[in-house]
Amino acid sequence: MRKKILGNRLSHKVFLMLVLVGVLPIIILGFLALYSLNVSHRIDVAYIEQKLINQKIEEIEKFFDEIVSTLELQVGFEQTSEIAIESQHFLLKQFLNEHAAFEEVAFVSLTGRESSKWSRIYGGRVSDEELIDLSHLERFRKALGGDRYVGSTYRTLKGPMISISMPVRNKNGIIISVISAEINLSELQSIVKRSTLGSEGYVYMVDGDGFLLAHSQEENLEIKDMNDWGFVRSLVGGRRYLGVENLQRYESPWGETVLSLGDYLPLLKVGIITEWPIDDADRIVNTVRNQIAIVGFLVLLFTGLVSAILTNRIVRPIKTLEVGTERIARGQFDQPVSITTNDEIEDLGDAFNKMMQGLKRLEELKEEFVFIAAHELRTPVTAIKGYISMVLDGDAGEVNPEVQKFLSEVRKASDRLNQLVNDLLQIARSEAGRLKIEVQSIDIAEAVQSALSELKPLALEKSIKLVYNPVTTPPVLADSDRLKEVLINLVGNAIKYTMRSGDVIISHEVKDKGLITHIKDHGIGISVEAQKKLFEKFYRVQTEETRNITGTGLGLFIVKQIVEKMNGKIWVVSEESQGSTFSFSLPLTTNIKAS
Ligand code: ADP
């Protein structure tokens, strides 16, 4: 079975279709807008972070260049031995004064032993006894070989430090001594301190071992090992994270989700990292996103409303036609449908109304035909009945038994024909509005008695007892002739459809401002299925038992029409092979409730 998405109503389908047609492009466009907004925003974030990193690298390089250029000493061509000791002390003192980053500076003679040393911790010149031998250290050997040596970062109470040593040459390029310095890297902290990234983003540096060197938002830096972060680890391993394609998103060491870039500076062996908390970085874009969402929602709402209105416009005329069709099915041809859509559906409405008129005419013709035919048939049928009765009664002389037998059959058939003609005439009258009902206050018991006395011979024939205890009943509003017709029909059926002898009981009950009359039999009963169609025109129950019972299937239809025209109701309660009780109500003349 097909699954119902929104039910099977046309209105639901049209609504769904309109909503889809209206909403799908909006949803797709909305997603595209959000996607491109996201992409371009990520590019912006990466650009800003990278710019900051480049700027910090420039500052660090400047700092390093200053240190190195200070230490680059050149002495005269002739000078082939060490600088005179006084000059050494003079120069070292100068260095300390010139740059705050110099913690300790020393000249080392070509043998590897320090020849002079100045230190900030000592507050100036270091005594000769404390000069040490560096000959076995790489920092000395590298410089002696003519290269610049930059050591790894190490920690002191005064902050992170590195060692630098360089050769001292004369103008001919001959190395005459080595200069060695301990550089305080606290300056890096002041370089990152001046950095901003949105309102919550920050920048920090790590040394070659992955330890925190400087942080733009942290004042007192404890020694912090950052190697737990794979990002930092691979950065100090030399990998660079630049450009939007390398923008990282992770939980930062400081506990926020960040968008991050990083670069490694081999010169000083430091990594520099920017981390921008995503909430802060996306603040502006979030506002735009919310605005898109609100506009999207409003558009959806609008589309829904417009779809509902359009659906109504499309479906309403169809609904009108449906109601018109139902009216035709009920036999009402007087109310044409009104559709003013100014299109093909309006044409359809006009065609529908024409069809309704045609059907009305057909119905009228049919009624007229049935009425005329039944009316014209009545006279000859009555004549046949009368003459046969006369012949059978011997008015035309002696009739031999054989002929009498045949004539009895002819009389039975003419009785049935007479009944059919009467029923048809009754219906034709009723449908043409010619069924005259004149209600007045009557005593129902009289109508019952009269009907029963007419049916008595029939009941006697089948040994059926008609039981009626006339009690005093309040008067009802009814047409006494029609009421008698109803009673003759119902009691007649009760007798007709009782095969073996059994009582037919007629009783009354006052209920809900009306008088109910029950006709109860112990006959063949009626199935639940048949009960539903019982009061329809020409309906007859087709069973083994009813096969030989003659009838037209019009009696109950007529009875119902009459009862309803007298403002009453009729119903049946029945069980197969147990019997049936037909009941009908009639309004009381005075609505006095019986106690
Ligand atoms: P009919 O001329 O066939 O009696 P009715 O309209 O009077 O037409 O009844 C319709 C059908 O209802 C009958 O054919 C019969 O099968 C069923 N019916 C009516 N009254 C009774 C009853 N008292 N007991 C059983 N069946 C009944």
Side-chain angles (χ1 to χ4, degrees):
M1 237 172 74
R2 220 151 30 102
K3 224 181 163 186
K4 289 184 189 174
I5 302 173
L6 261 177
N8 273 341
R9 307 298 302 165
L10 178 66
S11 56
H12 295 162
K13 288 178 185 166
V14 174
F15 181 74
L16 186 66
M17 197 182 71
L18 287 174
V19 166
L20 280 183
V21 168
V23 165
L24 261 190
I26 296 168
I27 292 179
I28 292 169
L29 280 179
F31 273 111
L32 280 180
L34 284 175
Y35 178 73
S36 46
L37 185 75
N38 234 19
V39 170
S40 77
H41 181 62
R42 285 289 173 270
I43 292 172
D44 288 349
V45 167
Y47 174 76
I48 295 169
E49 291 198 24
Q50 188 165 337
K51 206 169 141 207
L52 184 64
I53 289 176
N54 290 343
Q55 193 189 332
K56 292 300 119 183
I57 286 177
E58 254 175 49
E59 288 178 39
I60 295 167
E61 280 173 345
K62 197 169 150 236
F63 162 75
F64 188 71
D65 282 350
E66 270 174 28
I67 302 281
V68 171
S69 62
T70 311
L71 292 176
E72 255 166 10
L73 274 181
Q74 254 193 355
V75 293
F77 289 103
E78 313 77 37
Q79 179 103 28
T80 50
S81 60
E82 283 180 32
I83 305 166
I85 202 79
E86 297 77 41
S87 305
Q88 285 186 15
H89 285 297
F90 172 75
L91 285 167
L92 295 178
K93 186 179 173 185
Q94 285 275 87
F95 292 156
L96 289 194
N97 287 342
E98 232 165 77
H99 213 299
F102 288 122
E103 280 299 331
E104 205 173 272
V105 216
F107 277 104
V108 186
S109 64
L110 293 177
T111 60
R113 193 174 168 77
E114 288 174 338
S115 52
S116 56
K117 190 175 190 171
W118 279 62
S119 165
R120 255 180 234 291
I121 311 165
Y122 286 84
R125 181 180 168 169
V126 177
S127 67
D128 287 352
E129 296 84 62
E130 300 207 33
L131 298 177
I132 49 169
D133 183 7
L134 305 178
S135 59
H136 56 288
L137 295 179
E138 199 201 341
R139 58 194 285 187
F140 168 71
R141 284 204 235 119
K142 208 165 175 191
L144 192 67
D147 289 329
R148 183 170 65 203
Y149 167 84
V150 180
S152 301
T153 316
Y154 62 94
R155 313 272 154 179
T156 69
L157 286 175
K158 295 192 80 180
M161 304 270 193
I162 52 162
S163 310
I164 295 182
S165 47
M166 297 163 61
V168 180
R169 300 169 193 266
N170 71 10
K171 281 213 172 112
N172 290 322
I174 294 169
I175 298 169
I176 55 160
S177 153
V178 164
I179 190 159
S180 157
E182 305 306 316
I183 310 295
N184 191 331
L185 292 180
S186 301
E187 176 69 11
L188 295 181
Q189 176 68 9
S190 43
I191 290 176
V192 295
K193 199 102 214 119
R194 297 189 290 271
S195 322
T196 53
L197 195 55
S199 58
E200 287 168 26
Y202 48 85
V203 52
Y204 61 94
M205 289 187 207
V206 291
D207 63 23
D209 296 323
F211 282 83
L212 187 64
L213 263 184
H215 192 293
S216 64
Q217 285 178 355
E218 305 277 313
E219 272 306 330
N220 300 315
L221 292 174
E222 77 244 45
I223 297 171
K224 193 171 168 88
D225 184 356
M226 310 285 285
N227 281 296
D228 282 350
W229 279 268
F231 174 64
V232 171
R233 217 171 34 241
S234 75
L235 191 77
V236 295
R239 169 128 157 57
R240 307 175 79 190
Y241 289 90
L242 296 174
V244 66
E245 61 281 3
N246 285 314
L247 192 68
Q248 304 293 306
R249 181 198 168 118
Y250 57 82
E251 187 87 356
S252 90
W254 289 274
E256 280 163 305
T257 306
V258 293
L259 295 172
S260 170
L261 283 182
D263 200 1
Y264 183 66
L265 193 62
L267 190 71
L268 261 182
K269 295 177 192 150
V270 293
I272 175 152
I273 297 140
T274 47
E275 284 182 354
W276 197 351
I278 203 158
D279 290 346
D280 186 43
D282 286 354
R283 193 153 292 157
I284 299 172
V285 96
N286 279 343
T287 318
V288 180
R289 239 179 244 158
N290 288 346
Q291 280 164 356
I292 291 179
I294 290 171
V295 171
F297 176 74
L298 288 178
V299 171
L300 285 186
L301 205 71
F302 179 74
T303 316
L305 267 176
V306 170
S307 302
I309 292 168
L310 283 178
T311 306
N312 193 27
R313 277 192 155 207
I314 295 170
V315 174
R316 203 173 37 197
I318 296 171
K319 198 92 198 126
T320 311
L321 283 177
E322 189 190 341
V323 171
T325 320
E326 278 164 7
R327 277 205 294 264
I328 290 181
R330 285 198 300 271
Q332 300 167 350
F333 302 100
D334 294 331
Q335 283 168 276
V337 296
S338 156
I339 297 171
T340 48
T341 49
N342 228 348
D343 53 19
E344 287 88 339
I345 299 185
E346 184 172 329
D347 296 344
L348 179 65
D350 291 343
F352 184 88
N353 285 338
K354 278 190 197 125
M355 181 189 78
M356 193 185 252
Q357 278 166 10
L359 285 173
K360 186 181 174 191
R361 184 69 203 123
L362 261 181
E363 185 69 16
E364 282 167 359
L365 281 175
K366 186 199 84 188
E367 282 165 9
E368 226 170 280
F369 170 76
V370 173
F371 182 73
I372 293 170
H375 196 263
E376 293 304 311
L377 276 172
R378 215 156 70 136
T379 323
V381 167
T382 316
I384 294 169
K385 241 182 95 169
Y387 283 116
I388 290 173
S389 293
M390 277 165 67
V391 174
L392 279 174
D393 292 348
D395 292 355
E398 192 74 16
V399 186
N400 78 45
E402 195 66 11
V403 175
Q404 205 165 20
K405 209 174 116 200
F406 287 130
L407 280 179
S408 303
E409 287 306 313
V410 175
R411 178 152 71 176
K412 274 189 207 159
S414 78
D415 279 347
R416 285 212 300 278
L417 191 59
N418 190 40
Q419 182 63 43
L420 181 65
V421 167
N422 280 338
D423 283 354
L424 282 177
L425 201 58
Q426 182 90 288
I427 289 171
R429 276 199 195 112
S430 159
E431 282 174 353
R434 274 177 255 181
L435 183 70
K436 291 266 173 312
I437 302 265
E438 282 167 10
V439 294
Q440 56 187 10
S441 184
I442 57 158
D443 179 6
I444 197 164
E446 276 175 27
V448 177
Q449 298 281 21
S450 159
L452 290 187
S453 61
E454 244 175 71
L455 290 165
K456 215 167 190 165
L458 202 65
L460 268 175
E461 242 175 62
K462 292 181 82 175
S463 325
I464 289 169
K465 217 164 106 197
L466 301 176
V467 183
Y468 180 52
N469 295 322
V471 284
T472 325
T473 51
V476 290
L477 278 178
D479 180 319
S480 54
D481 289 342
R482 300 289 175 211
L483 177 59
K484 196 172 146 193
E485 258 178 67
V486 169
L487 286 162
I488 287 180
N489 237 306
L490 294 177
V491 179
N493 275 349
I495 297 167
K496 208 157 91 170
Y497 297 103
T498 300
M499 298 304 165
R500 286 158 280 118
S501 58
D503 295 350
V504 171
I505 306 156
I506 297 100
S507 60
H508 300 296
E509 178 190 2
V510 178
K511 200 175 175 187
D512 296 336
K513 299 178 185 172
L515 181 77
I516 300 170
T517 303
H518 302 287
I519 294 104
K520 181 179 167 71
D521 66 48
H522 298 89
I524 58 172
I526 307 156
S527 71
V528 179
E529 226 19 67
Q531 284 176 33
K532 290 178 196 155
K533 300 185 194 153
L534 215 54
F535 296 95
E536 285 173 16
K537 220 187 275 182
F538 296 111
Y539 180 76
R540 303 205 68 223
V541 181
Q542 304 293 345
T543 63
E544 230 3 77
E545 284 173 301
T546 58
R547 210 147 52 104
N548 293 324
I549 304 174
T550 55
T552 60
L554 292 170
L556 287 180
F557 175 75
I558 295 170
V559 163
K560 187 166 188 272
Q561 302 259 314
I562 297 174
V563 170
E564 283 174 358
K565 279 210 159 86
M566 293 193 297
N567 295 320
K569 277 198 183 103
I570 181 161
W571 65 93
V572 64
V573 178
S574 180
E575 205 180 316
E576 275 178 290
S577 358
Q578 298 299 315
S580 318
T581 302
F582 281 82
S583 309
F584 65 92
S585 66
L586 285 172
L588 294 179
T589 306
T590 47
N591 288 325
I592 307 162
K593 274 198 180 140
S595 52

